[in-house]
């Protein structure tokens, strides 16, 4: 039986930002359509384990890849 659990979700303002993040984070989650609990410009978000959230946010800031918002969201695996 599938159950929901918390995931880190990073939402992007543009497709360009989302694709740049995807190229950088290939082994740390996956790109998903934006969950209904979060709103952002381009409709794409990065889903990762909650333990990865700060590492991913730091990497985005260090490389200058922007993002619109981030949140912990209950999602299915």
């Amino acid at each position: 039986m599938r159950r929901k659990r918390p995931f880190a979700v990073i939402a992007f303002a543009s497709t360009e930002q989302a694709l740049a993040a995807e190229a950088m984070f290939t082994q740390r989650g996956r790109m998903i359509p934006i969950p209904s609990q979060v709103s952002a410009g381009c409709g794409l978000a990065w889903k990762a384990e909650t333990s990865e959230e700060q590492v991913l946010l730091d990497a985005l800031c260090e490389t200058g890849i922007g993002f619109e918002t981030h949140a912990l969201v209950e999602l299915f695996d």
Side-chain angles (χ1 to χ4, degrees):
M1 182 165 137
R2 290 178 40 177
R3 294 170 39 180
K4 286 187 175 183
R5 64 185 185 92
F7 284 93
V9 173
I10 303 171
F12 301 95
S14 73
T15 303
E16 181 182 5
Q17 290 172 338
L19 294 176
E22 183 176 40
M24 187 169 57
F25 298 153
T26 57
Q27 301 301 314
R28 294 190 153 165
R30 65 186 178 97
M31 194 65 66
I32 61 170
I34 193 97
S36 60
Q37 302 94 319
V38 180
S39 63
C42 81
L44 294 173
W46 191 256
K47 174 185 170 186
E49 296 295 331
T50 58
S51 60
E52 296 283 333
E53 182 179 29
Q54 194 59 54
V55 172
L56 299 176
L57 293 173
D58 290 345
L60 289 171
C61 290
E62 287 174 19
T63 59
I65 299 171
F67 62 94
E68 189 165 336
T69 190
H70 62 95
L72 294 180
V73 179
E74 293 277 327
L75 300 170
F76 289 107
D77 282 335

